[in-house]
Amino acid sequence: MDITQMLYSICVLAPIIFMLLAALIALTNPLSTTKIWQIFQAISCSSLFFIGTSIFLQDIGALWPGTVTTTSLGLILAFLVQFLGTVIGSFSSRYLQGEARQHHYLAALACVLASVHLLLIADHWLILIGAWTLIGFALQYLLCFYQDRPFALLAAHKKRLADYVANVLLLVASALAWIEVGNGSLSNLWQYIALHGMSIYLQTSAVLLVLAVMLRTALLPVHGWLTQVMEAPTPVSALLHAGVVNLGGFVLIRFIPMLEQASTARILLVVLGLVTAILAGMVMLTRISIKVRLAWSTIAQMGFMLLECGLGFYKLAAVHLIGHSLYKAYAFLTASDIVRQTRLQSLHMVSLPSYLSLMMAPILSITAISSVVLFFTTLTGHPSWPWWWSLVLGVSWGPLLWLPATHNDLPIRVMQTMNGLLIIAGLTGATIFLHTLPMGVQDMPDQRIGLIVLVGMVFLYFFQALLQRQPQRMSRWRRWSYAGFYLDEAYTRIALHIWPTCWTPVASQHITSKEATAILTDIPR
């Protein structure tokens, strides 16, 4: 290994070492909380510098194939996660002023970041599983930062069970691949698949991998913990939604060579992702709490991201992952401003969208998207994506063009429509631009499955329009949507039956475990 390669290795491994050092300092150093936060920010900024340097030097090659290695997407996400961790750390130092146990909070935050960096460079089954497990352990403390909040403890309990099941699935998947290939190296696995194709062992391994990712990314019906961790501090929610829960998308992109030859696993991804995107999108429309709506939005977005992977849009899934991370970090850290804006809007009369805008919105949206795609195709000579994906995006972004029925002034309607079209055109252009960046990932879409997805998204749009214009006729469906179709209640009962817990609120120690469980899950006693 020459000096340049050694420098590259140091730059890649430095963020892991630095974050572990920050955790150690936070746990063992008697300095004041302010000083500890300052040290964390300095270490975090240093980690950003080393990640940026590793991106500049990434053409040097792999580190130690079969153990740890780097990819373009992995380095980009490492920089993104560290940047978000730096911002969230700065926000936390102000948000948690006066709180006890800030040293432990900072140590857990640093451990989460270190584990994420390890996962992003893992080239071995055991390292990947170990890193994902460490993320769950470190995150557990952050979710239970307020230990006197029962719903925070319940959410952490359900997440812990989902993580354990996911770990078992991953271990079995790795064992099957190990038996077939002869070792746990992911690089060797890709070479084996390229030469010999997929055996029944590897097909089963791919299905188990998809199920494990489903559990980790809070897809229905194991989504409840993600909506209940609102009991944790706001910066924890920002970290969870922006840099942790969407790691399942990265893992699926990492396993492209396996997924491309595992039709059963891809169909499973499409089914789970489409159902989650549709149902979570319905629930989000009925919720009032801003943070809970953001949580349901994340569930829907995770379903859509896994749907993209199942369809073969791996590069679009990577772009989606990056955009979602930035948006959710911003949305949670500015949630208080959104609450104020919502309260001001509630003072004004709410106007239903007009029938004309409901009918014309998807048509105009598809036209705008198709025009931008045609422009870039003519400019570059390469199509950005298949025609049916423009229809899926057009239906999904159609609500941006809904107009209230109360405004009859034509100039105002034209201006609002033009603003909506500019937003859609901007989103399409940004997606296509990011799609051209060198991430080391290529799309391989499947049109047959894509047409099924298009039908599902049309159904979701129809439901959204019906819910807006005929809320009384949809009252029963609305109640079911508001309750999340009671899927979380079923999962909660199963989780507490499989793994009973004896914790009760500190102020209510006289309540029995059975009564506490009944209170938390709304089970009739």
Side-chain angles (χ1 to χ4, degrees), residues 15-16 19-20 108-121 127-128 130-138 247:
I16 301 175
M19 287 298 101
L20 292 177
L109 174 62
C111 286
V112 168
L113 295 175
S115 302
V116 170
H117 287 308
L118 180 61
L119 184 144
L120 293 175
I121 63 173
I127 296 177
L128 185 146
W132 223 346
T133 302
L134 290 175
I135 293 171
F137 283 147
L247 287 174

Side-chain angles (χ1 to χ4, degrees), residues 84 238 242 325-335 337-338:
L84 294 177
S325 296
L326 292 171
Y327 166 70
K328 276 299 160 62
Y330 172 80
F332 272 101
L333 296 182
T334 60
D337 294 333
I338 298 175

Side-chain angles (χ1 to χ4, degrees), residues 463-481:
F463 174 84
Q464 289 176 318
L466 194 61
L467 190 62
Q468 291 292 323
R469 290 299 311 185
Q470 303 291 338
Q472 297 304 322
R473 294 185 180 181
M474 300 289 292
S475 59
R476 177 174 295 183
W477 189 260
R478 187 181 181 88
R479 287 196 298 270
W480 276 71
S481 297

Side-chain angles (χ1 to χ4, degrees), residues 313 316 373 383-391 443-447:
F313 285 119
L316 280 176
V373 171
S384 302
W385 51 62
W387 61 269
W388 50 267
W389 186 247
S390 294
L391 301 184
D443 289 337
M444 289 167 276
D446 189 324
Q447 179 171 330

Side-chain angles (χ1 to χ4, degrees), residues 345-361:
Q345 291 175 359
S346 65
L347 298 177
H348 303 280
M349 182 180 297
V350 178
S351 178
L352 300 177
S354 65
Y355 281 111
L356 181 61
S357 69
L358 290 175
M359 291 186 293
M360 293 301 297

